[in-house]
C-alpha cells in the first residue's frame, strides 16, 4: 500500500484546509483519496518557478498549473515589479496568452492580482504570439510582461513566462528575486487580488488590441532586405503552405506575408482555428515531421515551394522544402538558421548595409555551421547557454555599449530573431525571412535545398541530431539527476573510438556564463555531444554534432557517436 510522503501530505492538508480554496477544487482532491501515486505527484512539491517561469500539467495541486499557483506566482512577481519600477507613474505589465486550455482564465487571474498590488495590467483580449508580447513590453515601455503558454508541450500542459522591462525573459539573478518573493507567500489568503470591475474602474486593467498588432507587424516587416523584389513578381511566384498548428501565429504570419507581397499562400484549414487539444497532431511542435503531415499533403496538392509551421505561441518556426526528386525535406533548426544567416548577411553585404561590428549569437548546443557562415561575412559570433533569454541579455549589452550591432540570434530548437525590435525568438519574422530567401533564390532557379547543399560544399558537411528521454514524475527527476551525476563524476576518455579532448561542466560557470546543469564533451575529430536536462519538460536531452568530409561521412560519424553515447545513457 502506497502512502504519501510527509511533504505531499502537508501540502494536501494545506489545500484542503485553506479557506481561500474553492469548494469544487477541494471536492476534486477528496475524490482522489486512495490514489496515492496521483496525489503524490500533485503535491510532493510546489510547481517550480524556474528562470523561465512556471510550466506544468493543468489541475488541482501545488505541483500543477491552476489559478492558485498562478495567483501565488503573480503575487511574488508583483512585489518584484514594484521594486524594479524606476519610472514615473504606476508600474505596468503586458499580458498575452495562446490557445491552451485555461489560458484566458490564467491571464485574467494574473491581471487581477497585479491590479490588487497597484500595478497596471495591460491585457490582450485574445490569443497573441509570444514575440508580440516581447515587442509590446519594449514598445509600450512597460515594467514587465507575462505570457500564458506552454509553447509546444502536450495539451495537458500550460505555463507562465515572465519578462523584464527589456522584453526579455527573466535571467537567473532576476528570477531568483521573484522565486524568493513567491516563497514568502505563505498562504493563498496572502494574495492581493481585486475584481475585474474594480480593476477596470481604477484604470488598473487596460485592454490592448489592433493598434499594438499593427505596430508589431510594421516592426517585423521592416526586417525585409528585398522588399522591392517581393512586391514585384518574386512574391507572387513563390507558392507557400502555412500551418499555425492551432496557435497564435495564424493572424500575424499571414498579415506579414501579405504585407511583403506574398499572395500565393495556402493555409492548412484543419489546423487554422485555435484548439487547446491540438486534435490534428500528436504534438504541436514544428520540430517534428509528424506535425507537418497535413501541410505536406496540401503542399503536394498545390505544388508548394515551401511549407511553414509555427508552434502554439508562435515563437518557433519549422520549414519544409523540396529536394531534387520533388519530395518534401524537413529542415532542422540548424539548417534553417544557416540558410537565413547566409541570405540575410549576404544581402546586407551586397547592399552595403552590413555593419563592420555585426554580431550573431547562438547557443552552446547549436551547430557551428551558422557560426562559420557568419564569420565568413565578418560578423563576430557569441555563444550563450540554452534559452533565448541569454541571447536577449547579450542584445541588451550590445545596445548599451555600442560595441557590436546585433544581426541575428538563434537556437537549434527552431527559435530565431532577426532585428532589434524584440528580445525573444520570433516565428513570425522567421517565417517571413525564410520565405523571402526562398523567393529570392527561386528567381535564380534554386530551391532552399539547393542552397543548403551549396553551403555544405563551401563550409563543410555539418550534421546534428538530438535524442531525448522523457522521465516523468518524482522518480523521473531522480533518474535525470542520476544520469547527469554519472557523466559528471565518470567522464569518458573516449567515445566511439574517438578521444575526448575536453569535458565542459557548465555548472561551474564557464566562459563567464551563469552556472547551469549542462555537460558538453568535445572530441578530437571536432565532434561534440552535450547532456542537458530540459528546463520545461520532464526530459533529458542529448545533443550531437559532427563535421564530415561528405554527407555520407557525416551521417556515419553521427550514427556511431549517437549509438555509443545513448547506450550508456539508457544503461
Amino acid at each position: 500500500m502506497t502512502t504519501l510522503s510527509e511533504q505531499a501530505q502537508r501540502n494536501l492538508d494545506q489545500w484542503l484546509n485553506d479557506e481561500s480554496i474553492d469548494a469544487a477544487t477541494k471536492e476534486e482532491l477528496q475524490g482522489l483519496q486512495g490514489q496515492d501515486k496521483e496525489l503524490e505527484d500533485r503535491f510532493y512539491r510546489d510547481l517550480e518557478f524556474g528562470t523561465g517561469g512556471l510550466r506544468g500539467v493543468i489541475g488541482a495541486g501545488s505541483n500543477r498549473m491552476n489559478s492558485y499557483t498562478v495567483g501565488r506566482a503573480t503575487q511574488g512577481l508583483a512585489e518584484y515589479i514594484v521594486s524594479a519600477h524606476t519610472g514615473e507613474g504606476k508600474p505596468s505589465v503586458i499580458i498575452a496568452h495562446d490557445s491552451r486550455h485555461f489560458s484566458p482564465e490564467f491571464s485574467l487571474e494574473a491581471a487581477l492580482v497585479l491590479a490588487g498590488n497597484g500595478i497596471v495590467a495591460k491585457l490582450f483580449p485574445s490569443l497573441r504570439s509570444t514575440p508580440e508580447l516581447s515587442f509590446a513590453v519594449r514598445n509600450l515601455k512597460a515594467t514587465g510582461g507575462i505570457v500564458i503558454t506552454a509553447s509546444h508541450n502536450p495539451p495537458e500542459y500550460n505555463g507562465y513566462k515572465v519578462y523584464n522591462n527589456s522584453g526579455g525573459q527573466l535571467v537567473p539573478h532576476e528570477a531568483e528575486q521573484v522565486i524568493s518573493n513567491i516563497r514568502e507567500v505563505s498562504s493563498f489568503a496572502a494574495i492581493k487580488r481585486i475584481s475585474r470591475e474594480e480593476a477596470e474602474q481604477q484604470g488598473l486593467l487596460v485592454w490592448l488590441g489592433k493598434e499594438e498588432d499593427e505596430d508589431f507587424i510594421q516592426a517585423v516587416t521592416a526586417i525585409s532586405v528585398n522588399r522591392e523584389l517581393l512586391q514585384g513578381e518574386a512574391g507572387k511566384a513563390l507558392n507557400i503552405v502555412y500551418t499555425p498548428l492551432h496557435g497564435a501565429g495564424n493572424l500575424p504570419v499571414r498579415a506579414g506575408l501579405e504585407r511583403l507581397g506574398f499572395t500565393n499562400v495556402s493555409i492548412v484549414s484543419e489546423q487554422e482555428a485555435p484548439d487547446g487539444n491540438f486534435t490534428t497532431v500528436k504534438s504541436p511542435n514544428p520540430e517534428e515531421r509528424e506535425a507537418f503531415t497535413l501541410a505536406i499533403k496540401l503542399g503536394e496538392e498545390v505544388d508548394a515551394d515551401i511549407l511553414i509551421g509555427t508552434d502554439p505561441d508562435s515563437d518557433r518556426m519549422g520549414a519544409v522544402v523540396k529536394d531534387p526528386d520533388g519530395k518534401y525535406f524537413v529542415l532542422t533548426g540548424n539548417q534553417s538558421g544557416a540558410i537565413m544567416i547566409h541570405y540575410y548577411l549576404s544581402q546586407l553585404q551586397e547592399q552595403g548595409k552590413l555593419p563592420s561590428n555585426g554580431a550573431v549569437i547562438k547557443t552552446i548546443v547549436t551547430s557551428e555551421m551558422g557560426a562559420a557562415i557568419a564569420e565568413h561575412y565578418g560578423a563576430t559570433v557569441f555563444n550563450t547557454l540554452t534559452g533565448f533569454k541569454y541571447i536577449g541579455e547579450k542584445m541588451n549589452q550590445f545596445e548599451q555599449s555600442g560595441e557590436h550591432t546585433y544581426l541575428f540570434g538563434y537556437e537549434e530548437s527552431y527559435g530565431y530573431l532577426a532585428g532589434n525590435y524584440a528580445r525573444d525568438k520570433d516565428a513570425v519574422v522567421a517565417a517571413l525571412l525564410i520565405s523571402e530567401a526562398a523567393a529570392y533564390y527561386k528567381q535564380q532557379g534554386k530551391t532552399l535545398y539547393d542552397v543548403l547543399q551549396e553551403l555544405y560544399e563551401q563550409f563543410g558537411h555539418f550534421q546534428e541530431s538530438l535524442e531525448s528521454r522523457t522521465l516523468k514524475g518524482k522518480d523521473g527527476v531522480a533518474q535525470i539527476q542520476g544520469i547527469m551525476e554519472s557523466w559528471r563524476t565518470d567522464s569518458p576518455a573516449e567515445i566511439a573510438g574517438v578521444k575526448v579532448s575536453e569535458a565542459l561542466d557548465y555548472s561551474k560557470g564557464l566562459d563567464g556564463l551563469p552556472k547551469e546543469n549542462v555537460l558538453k564533451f568535445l572530441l578530437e575529430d571536432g565532434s561534440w555531444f552535450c547532456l542537458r536536462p530540459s528546463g520545461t519538460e520532464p526530459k533529458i536531452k542529448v545533443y550531437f554534432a559532427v563535421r564530415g568530409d561528405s554527407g555520407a561521412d557525416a551521417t556515419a560519424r553521427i550514427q556511431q557517436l549517437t549509438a555509443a553515447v545513448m547506450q550508456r545513457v539508457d544503461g
Side-chain angles (χ1 to χ4, degrees):
M1 181 180 171
T2 309
T3 55
L4 296 187
S5 65
E6 189 177 329
Q7 182 66 49
Q9 189 65 57
R10 188 184 306 122
N11 285 343
L12 173 59
D13 290 342
Q14 183 184 356
W15 275 60
L16 291 174
N17 296 322
D18 194 320
E19 292 181 3
S20 304
I21 304 279
D22 67 274
T25 299
K26 290 180 180 178
E27 196 174 315
E28 178 187 341
L29 294 174
Q30 285 161 347
L32 292 172
Q33 283 186 356
Q35 298 181 42
D36 285 2
K37 189 173 182 182
E38 176 67 17
L39 285 170
E40 180 71 25
D41 192 51
R42 287 182 183 227
F43 285 100
Y44 80 92
R45 64 174 187 175
D46 289 336
L47 187 62
E48 286 186 2
F49 190 101
T51 54
L54 301 171
R55 193 174 299 189
V57 175
I58 299 164
S62 61
N63 188 35
R64 292 288 186 267
M65 276 293 295
N66 50 67
S67 61
Y68 298 105
T69 51
V70 166
R72 184 169 179 255
T74 307
Q75 182 60 44
L77 173 65
E79 290 163 17
Y80 170 77
I81 291 291
V82 170
S83 66
H85 179 62
T86 55
E88 295 178 8
K90 290 185 173 70
S92 63
V93 173
I94 316 292
I95 306 176
H97 69 265
D98 69 5
S99 57
R100 287 182 176 273
H101 295 304
F102 296 100
S103 282
E105 290 86 348
F106 294 160
S107 296
L108 185 58
E109 182 66 24
L112 299 180
V113 173
L114 291 170
N117 284 269
I119 298 164
V120 179
K122 298 184 177 182
L123 187 59
F124 283 104
S126 56
L127 67 166
R128 294 297 192 281
S129 71
T130 287
E132 181 168 351
L133 178 283
S134 175
F135 167 78
V137 169
R138 296 174 62 76
N139 194 42
L140 298 175
K141 297 181 171 55
T143 321
I146 298 170
V147 185
I148 304 296
T149 177
S151 190
H152 57 282
N153 277 53
E156 63 269 23
Y157 281 80
N158 210 331
Y160 178 106
K161 291 199 290 193
V162 180
Y163 291 74
N164 58 28
N165 63 0
S166 76
Q169 289 187 51
L170 298 187
V171 291
H173 73 90
E174 295 169 323
E176 283 162 13
Q177 294 177 51
V178 177
I179 292 164
S180 176
N181 291 344
I182 293 170
R183 287 178 183 146
E184 295 297 315
V185 183
S186 56
S187 72
F188 296 117
I191 298 168
K192 300 173 186 174
R193 182 187 186 279
I194 60 176
S195 70
R196 175 173 172 170
E197 292 73 20
E198 288 175 293
E200 288 176 336
Q201 286 169 6
Q202 295 175 36
L204 293 169
L205 177 56
V206 177
W207 297 94
L208 304 178
K210 290 183 180 177
E211 189 176 330
E212 289 74 27
D213 296 339
E214 175 58 26
D215 289 345
F216 175 64
I217 293 300
Q218 284 188 19
V220 172
T221 53
I223 302 306
S224 171
V225 285
N226 267 316
R227 202 156 182 172
E228 286 183 14
L229 179 76
L230 299 178
Q231 301 287 342
E233 290 303 309
K236 296 174 187 173
L238 190 73
N239 190 344
I240 302 170
V241 162
Y242 169 59
T243 173
L245 296 175
H246 305 291
N250 185 35
L251 297 180
V253 169
R254 292 169 72 173
L257 289 170
E258 184 180 356
R259 190 78 57 94
L260 288 183
F262 293 105
T263 56
N264 194 1
V265 182
S266 303
I267 309 301
V268 179
S269 57
E270 300 95 326
Q271 297 172 331
E272 182 178 359
D275 175 9
N277 289 320
F278 309 111
T279 45
T280 62
V281 287
K282 287 179 184 174
S283 171
N285 186 356
E287 295 180 67
E288 298 174 11
R289 182 184 176 89
E290 186 273 334
F292 280 101
T293 301
L294 291 173
I296 290 171
K297 183 177 175 230
L298 180 58
E300 289 168 347
E301 290 170 10
V302 301
D303 193 27
D305 298 302
I306 186 169
L307 320 177
I308 294 167
T310 56
D311 70 341
D313 65 324
S314 196
D315 63 353
R316 295 172 193 249
M317 184 281 303
V320 183
V321 297
K322 280 186 176 175
D323 70 12
D325 298 324
K327 301 287 185 186
Y328 283 114
F329 176 83
V330 182
L331 294 172
T332 67
N334 286 311
Q335 290 168 337
S336 291
I339 290 168
M340 284 189 278
I341 289 170
H342 168 65
Y343 170 71
Y344 190 52
L345 270 58
S346 69
Q347 294 307 295
L348 289 174
Q349 185 182 71
E350 202 171 293
Q351 296 167 19
K353 297 176 182 175
L354 187 64
S356 59
N357 66 343
V360 168
I361 312 173
K362 71 177 195 65
T363 69
I364 58 172
V365 296
T366 298
S367 170
E368 294 302 319
M369 184 174 182
I373 295 169
E375 287 165 354
H376 171 77
Y377 288 107
T380 305
V381 178
F382 294 85
N383 282 289
T384 70
L385 294 174
T386 306
F388 221 90
K389 57 182 171 283
Y390 297 117
I391 294 176
E393 185 179 34
K394 206 80 187 160
M395 291 172 70
N396 289 337
Q397 291 171 11
F398 296 159
E399 193 171 60
Q400 288 160 13
S401 70
E403 188 179 350
H404 291 281
T405 300
Y406 172 82
L407 297 171
F408 194 87
Y410 78 119
E411 303 176 301
E412 55 74 40
S413 54
Y414 293 61
Y416 318 94
L417 179 67
N420 233 333
Y421 60 90
R423 288 293 182 273
D424 209 343
K425 52 190 178 283
D426 183 4
V428 183
V429 80
L432 304 191
L433 190 60
I434 204 161
S435 295
E436 183 173 314
Y440 174 82
Y441 292 117
K442 186 174 182 180
Q443 297 289 295
Q444 301 176 7
K446 298 177 187 176
T447 66
L448 291 187
Y449 185 92
D450 296 330
V451 174
L452 180 64
Q453 302 315 306
E454 290 175 358
L455 293 175
Y456 282 141
E457 289 302 315
Q458 183 176 356
F459 296 100
H461 291 268
F462 292 84
Q463 197 169 134
E464 301 79 30
S465 68
L466 169 66
E467 292 283 331
S468 63
R469 297 292 184 264
T470 300
L471 299 163
K472 293 184 178 181
K474 187 178 180 181
D475 293 342
V477 172
Q479 281 179 271
I480 290 170
Q481 289 173 346
I483 292 168
M484 293 299 293
E485 282 312 303
S486 167
W487 284 86
R488 181 171 277 121
T489 57
D490 184 18
S491 295
E494 67 171 38
I495 286 282
V498 183
K499 284 187 178 178
V500 174
S501 57
E502 195 172 2
L504 303 173
D505 184 353
Y506 286 91
S507 70
K508 296 176 180 176
L510 304 180
D511 303 325
L513 299 173
K515 294 177 181 179
E516 193 155 293
N517 187 19
V518 178
L519 297 169
K520 187 173 183 179
F521 298 89
L522 311 181
L523 277 61
E524 280 193 343
D525 66 354
S527 305
W528 57 262
F529 67 95
C530 181
L531 289 89
R532 172 183 164 265
S534 170
T536 58
E537 299 171 89
K539 286 182 177 179
I540 183 165
K541 295 185 173 184
V542 190
Y543 304 80
F544 303 91
V546 301
R547 182 178 183 178
D549 298 326
S550 65
D553 179 46
T555 299
R557 285 173 185 250
I558 206 156
Q559 286 175 349
Q560 290 166 2
L561 179 60
T562 302
V565 172
M566 295 314 295
Q567 184 177 10
R568 175 170 165 179
V569 169
D570 292 333

